[in-house]
Structure formats: structure tokens, C-alpha cells
Amino acid sequence: MKILLINTVNLEANGISTFIINVAKQLVKKNFDVTILTPNEVESNLMKKLKNNGVHLKEINGRSSNLINYFIKLRKYLSYEKFDVVHVNGNSTTMAIELLAAKLAGVKLRIAHSHNTTTEHLL
């Protein structure tokens, strides 16, 4: 089974990233094919650590600066890779961007995981 864990914030030293990395490692141990998608260029040491743990990494930049381009690239990537599950992790309703791209790409199981109780990005 192919699983994509999407981080809507930069993959670096923060709570959401720590959660995603820990989940990815556990899923790989159970023989799932796991990729983490992040909107930033990941520091090389973290990239190596993920690779050594069997976790794939995909960077699609522009979530904050060019949302339309980000959405198009994300949808194309999701359509090409044929993930069984997309698990979006974030802290606002803007996770709908990734969920819509996954739906349009034909991903059957889409999960939204909010990591907070308030947001600055209301509908």
C-alpha cells in the first residue's frame, strides 16, 4: 500500500513534522511504501535520515507563494504516483487544498489531521 503523508508546514524541527516523521517510520516498519510531501527544501541531514529509514521524500515548493502552481504540481504528482492513502497534516482549513487535489487525482482514502485548536485562516 502506498501512503503519502503531506506536511502543510515546512518539514523541520516543529511538532507537525515530528509527528509525520514518527508515523512514517512506524509505517515503513510495517512494510508500507511511505512518502512525505513537504512544501520546502529539506535540510540534507534530515533528508538522509529519512532515506536511511526507508521513507521517500517529495518536495513541492510554492504553497505559500504560488498556490495555483503548487496545486497543479500536487495534482499531477498524485495522479502519476497512484497513492492509496493521502494523509494531510496541518493547522488550518487550508488543508482543503491538498484534499481537493487528492480527490481530483482519484485517491480514494483522504485523511485530514488538524494539529491545533485555533487558526488564523478561517473560511
Side-chain angles (χ1 to χ4, degrees):
M1 178 176 284
K2 286 181 73 168
I3 301 172
L4 179 64
L5 302 172
I6 299 180
N7 195 355
T8 61
V9 300
N10 287 347
L11 191 66
E12 56 191 19
N14 62 51
I16 295 174
S17 297
T18 300
F19 172 82
I20 291 171
I21 291 167
N22 289 338
V23 167
K25 288 180 190 177
Q26 292 303 311
L27 289 170
V28 167
K29 286 180 182 178
K30 297 193 181 290
N31 296 316
F32 290 102
D33 182 359
V34 180
T35 302
I36 295 174
L37 185 139
T38 183
N40 66 302
E41 291 183 28
V42 177
E43 189 264 332
S44 62
N45 286 337
L46 178 54
M47 194 179 300
K48 289 176 190 174
K49 180 179 174 185
L50 292 170
K51 185 176 180 179
N52 290 339
N53 282 286
V55 178
H56 308 288
L57 182 65
K58 175 67 176 175
E59 299 169 350
I60 299 181
N61 297 323
R63 188 176 197 278
S64 297
S65 60
N66 191 342
L67 191 55
I68 293 171
N69 190 43
Y70 168 81
F71 179 85
I72 292 167
K73 287 180 182 178
L74 176 60
R75 182 177 174 201
K76 185 176 180 179
Y77 175 69
L78 292 169
S79 295
Y80 178 77
E81 287 294 332
K82 307 287 186 214
F83 288 98
D84 298 298
V85 179
V86 168
H87 183 179
V88 183
N89 292 268
N91 55 17
S92 74
T93 55
T94 64
M95 291 185 295
I97 295 160
E98 287 80 9
L99 294 169
L100 178 60
K103 181 175 179 143
L104 294 174
V107 179
K108 301 247 186 272
L109 183 55
R110 301 169 305 276
I111 302 165
H113 187 159
S114 179
H115 290 265
N116 72 344
T117 57
T118 63
T119 183
E120 294 176 10
H121 303 287
L122 302 174
L123 290 177

